[in-house]
Amino acid sequence: MTPTIEIHDARDIFTDAPVSLRLEGGRIAWIGAPGTMPDAPPPARRIAAGGRRIAPGFCESHLHLFWGGATLSQLNLLGIEGVQAAAQAIAGFAAANPAVPLLVAYSANYEVLGPGTRPDRHALDRLCPERPLLMIAVDGHGAWANTAALAAAGLMTRVPEVENAEVVLGPDGKPNGELREGAAIALVQRLSTSGGREGLVIAGDEPGTVSPADRAADKATLAAALAACAAHGITTAVNMDGNLYLADLLTEMEAEGALPIRVSTAMRLSPAHDDARIAELIAAATRPAQGKLGFGRIKMFLDGVFDTWTAFRTDDYPGRPGFRSEPLFTPERFNALCIAADARGLQIQVHCVGDAAVRLALDGYAAAQAANGARDARHRIEHIDMLHPDDLARLRDLGVIASMQPVHPPGSSGLPLEPTVSIMGRNRWRDTFPWAALAGAGVPIAFGTDWPTAPLSPFNAIHAALSRAPWAEDVPDQRLPFEAVIEAYTAGGARALFAEEGRGRLAPGMAADLVLLDGDPRALREDAGACRAALTICAGEIVHEAAL
Ligand SMILES: [Zn+2]
């Protein structure tokens, strides 16, 4: 039985009006002005909120649960700049972790070792000559390994073929240390404590036999990720990648009562998968929801990122006449997959960073609608770093949800402007991260962070959303008002999960998914540290509690 909880003297995050709430059976049984709560049996817990703001629990609409959990024991290089700072951070991490087989650092900027430079194995050898080191780029699409790591992975003697990825070779014919895209990174990542199984989840591939000890370790990694979510006021985590192994782990955890918050996971379809594997993943995605765990979605990538010139765009890259990159699926195959998944009632979500990728995704959704008939499908597009103005109305007309990450615009949240803004091109800045344009056109928006490519904290992301500055005077301000930002993190996320009838608002009958905040959320505009989660409640149970 879920305990009854009363919260007295809070303030509604949207209106600032004083409110009290009674939570029963995992739902909001009553909400109203303090002092007017109807008489009822005494609750199991009575919380004096002391005027703190209360919000619906945050819905983090785009994260990588397993990978994020794995990074909790890795070195975070976000904001580290220059050889000296990187060397110091790596030396400290290596000393603190004397036994790990592979030192893994993540969130490295592409020019972490100096403006205008890219890391290679020789530069990494100078930072860390003896122990194997893997440094993953901030977007997860690239990585660099030192010679010890490449040798331990066997890559100094033989470089295998990898699909849609590249082990970049130097002039000597040996790997130069750069690993482009997941399948190449995985060749080194499998040496890590986690066996690189987080990389397999991202790729939608299965691990071989997993020992009971490794299985338990992986569940602990997921539990740590979910606890981190709860500590930030997140009550729903929308996981972007999945394989059958992850689906089984989460199903077991749900049955064991080990999911503190709600998790919805996609299954990851890759161009490398054959028809049988695609069918298997689509079947897994149709698993029914159970308790706090939901399925019902597939995830695909149509392109990469601007920093590696792999974002697929409608115009040429600056300084590279005739080059626009290319999509990861042919339009024919992509459309066929959309039609097949849509016919099973699944929600489709596609990573599209370049504007040509967005256009291709819309074509796929239109093909599904033409083949299967129109329905409330709520297919999603993830990121939309660049949008061609001609496609704005199509997003709305196809009922597409824009899944956006306020922490992604260069210049926000510790990200440097360069090299990204130059690679995007000055004449296209006006078409990037178009939150206000999308909202203005009536496209529903769901916010998230893409953790661990960015910090998990919704407060950091809300700060980024509210404080984003245009890169030049003639670039439109794409910020949304405070209320719209909070909504994209709550009701907007619920809507993206077809859950708006039961979650995402402070109203009677809604799920008791709530967060009580320390600090003033409106002050997040100026200060990312202005606010934190004091108490998180999911389905009527307290899942995080700081000192109240
Ligand atoms: Zn992502």
Side-chain angles (χ1 to χ4, degrees), residues 303-510:
D303 68 347
V305 291
F306 280 102
D307 287 343
T308 55
W309 295 273
T310 49
F312 178 43
R313 62 192 296 165
T314 58
D315 61 341
D316 296 349
Y317 274 91
R320 298 183 68 171
F323 180 72
R324 302 176 174 194
S325 191
E326 52 190 38
L328 293 169
F329 285 96
T330 64
E332 296 71 30
R333 183 149 192 241
F334 178 76
N335 289 358
L337 290 172
C338 286
I339 291 168
D342 181 79
R344 301 289 294 270
L346 296 175
Q347 187 182 40
I348 304 165
Q349 50 195 62
V350 183
H351 165 117
C352 299
V353 163
D355 57 346
V358 173
R359 185 166 285 174
L360 217 55
L362 293 172
D363 292 346
Y365 297 164
Q369 202 176 79
N372 303 328
R375 67 182 175 96
D376 183 11
R378 302 189 197 182
H379 297 317
R380 307 166 40 133
I381 300 183
E382 309 299 315
H383 309 312
I384 318 183
D385 288 14
M386 188 181 280
L387 177 69
H388 195 287
D390 291 355
D391 292 323
L392 188 57
R394 287 184 78 205
L395 268 127
R396 178 199 53 218
D397 296 344
L398 286 164
V400 171
I401 287 166
S403 169
M404 310 294 286
Q405 298 72 40
V407 285
H408 276 179
S412 300
S413 192
L415 294 179
L417 288 170
E418 296 294 356
T420 323
V421 297
S422 291
I423 297 174
M424 286 175 153
R426 176 68 179 82
N427 61 329
R428 298 304 308 277
W429 288 359
R430 58 176 59 250
D431 300 328
T432 60
F433 307 99
W435 311 328
L438 288 162
V443 177
I445 295 180
F447 270 165
T449 61
D450 204 8
W451 185 60
T453 73
L456 176 61
S457 163
F459 308 107
N460 179 67
I462 292 165
H463 166 70
L466 296 172
S467 64
R468 174 181 168 195
W471 301 326
E473 254 179 33
D474 60 334
V475 174
D477 187 346
Q478 294 287 357
R479 284 178 300 176
L480 298 174
F482 174 80
E483 291 76 12
V485 170
I486 301 300
E487 186 141 329
Y489 242 120
T490 53
R495 191 183 179 284
L497 290 172
F498 298 89
E500 71 273 21
E501 297 297 326
R503 308 204 301 259
R505 285 186 296 122
L506 299 174
M510 286 280 151

Side-chain angles (χ1 to χ4, degrees), residues 42-399:
R45 175 93 189 260
R46 187 179 193 283
I47 293 162
R52 288 182 178 86
R53 267 64 165 211
I54 192 157
F58 294 117
C59 178
E60 159 59 74
S61 287
H62 183 127
L63 54 56
H64 303 273
L65 205 55
F66 198 175
W67 178 25
T71 63
L72 293 172
S73 53
Q74 298 170 352
L75 173 63
N76 187 351
L77 289 177
L78 188 68
I80 297 280
E81 281 174 45
V83 171
Q84 214 178 347
Q88 204 172 14
I90 290 164
F93 182 71
N97 294 275
V100 300
L102 176 72
L103 298 166
V104 183
Y106 70 103
S107 274
N109 287 325
Y110 279 81
E111 299 184 349
V112 57
L113 301 183
T117 71
R118 295 255 169 163
D120 63 15
R121 73 178 159 95
H122 304 292
L124 262 59
D125 289 349
R126 289 191 286 276
L127 297 177
C128 181
E130 265 145 41
R131 293 176 62 188
L133 168 70
L134 178 68
M135 189 165 85
I136 300 175
V138 64
D139 53 35
H141 288 262
W144 303 272
N146 68 355
T147 307
L150 293 165
L155 297 174
M156 293 306 286
T157 44
R158 198 186 80 83
V159 176
E161 284 280 327
V162 277
E163 246 182 290
N164 295 313
E166 185 183 359
V167 176
V168 181
L169 302 180
D172 58 356
K174 302 272 184 205
N176 77 356
E178 184 181 354
L179 306 165
R180 289 189 188 151
E181 298 299 335
I185 300 169
L187 298 171
V188 175
Q189 205 172 22
R190 64 187 166 80
L191 305 173
S192 73
T193 318
S194 68
R197 285 187 295 283
E198 72 273 31
L200 294 173
V201 172
I202 292 169
D205 294 331
E206 302 299 328
T209 315
V210 179
S211 73
D214 282 345
R215 208 177 165 83
D218 290 346
K219 279 194 194 175
T221 298
L222 291 168
L226 293 169
C229 288
H232 286 300
I234 295 164
T235 53
T236 300
V238 182
N239 186 44
M240 283 299 115
D241 36 39
N243 52 8
L244 274 58
Y245 176 64
L246 181 81
D248 287 344
L249 290 185
L250 289 170
T251 301
E252 284 172 32
M253 290 174 76
E254 161 58 28
E256 292 158 5
L259 296 182
I261 64 165
R262 302 176 201 275
V263 180
S264 172
T265 193
M267 290 290 130
R268 164 83 156 93
L269 272 51
S270 141
H273 293 147
D274 62 17
D275 290 349
R277 176 62 180 163
I278 296 274
E280 188 173 35
L281 287 164
I282 285 182
T286 62
R287 287 188 192 192
Q290 265 178 299
K292 292 200 185 94
L293 178 61
F295 296 96
R297 295 180 295 111
I298 58 158
K299 164 88 186 289
M300 295 182 274
F301 280 70
L302 267 175
D303 68 347
V305 291
F306 280 102
D307 287 343
T308 55
W309 295 273
T310 49
F312 178 43
R313 62 192 296 165
T314 58
D315 61 341
D316 296 349
Y317 274 91
R320 298 183 68 171
F323 180 72
R324 302 176 174 194
S325 191
E326 52 190 38
L328 293 169
F329 285 96
T330 64
E332 296 71 30
R333 183 149 192 241
F334 178 76
N335 289 358
L337 290 172
C338 286
I339 291 168
D342 181 79
R344 301 289 294 270
L346 296 175
Q347 187 182 40
I348 304 165
Q349 50 195 62
V350 183
H351 165 117
C352 299
V353 163
D355 57 346
V358 173
R359 185 166 285 174
L360 217 55
L362 293 172
D363 292 346
Y365 297 164
Q369 202 176 79
N372 303 328
R375 67 182 175 96
D376 183 11
R378 302 189 197 182
H379 297 317
R380 307 166 40 133
I381 300 183
E382 309 299 315
H383 309 312
I384 318 183
D385 288 14
M386 188 181 280
L387 177 69
H388 195 287
D390 291 355
D391 292 323
L392 188 57
R394 287 184 78 205
L395 268 127
R396 178 199 53 218
D397 296 344
L398 286 164

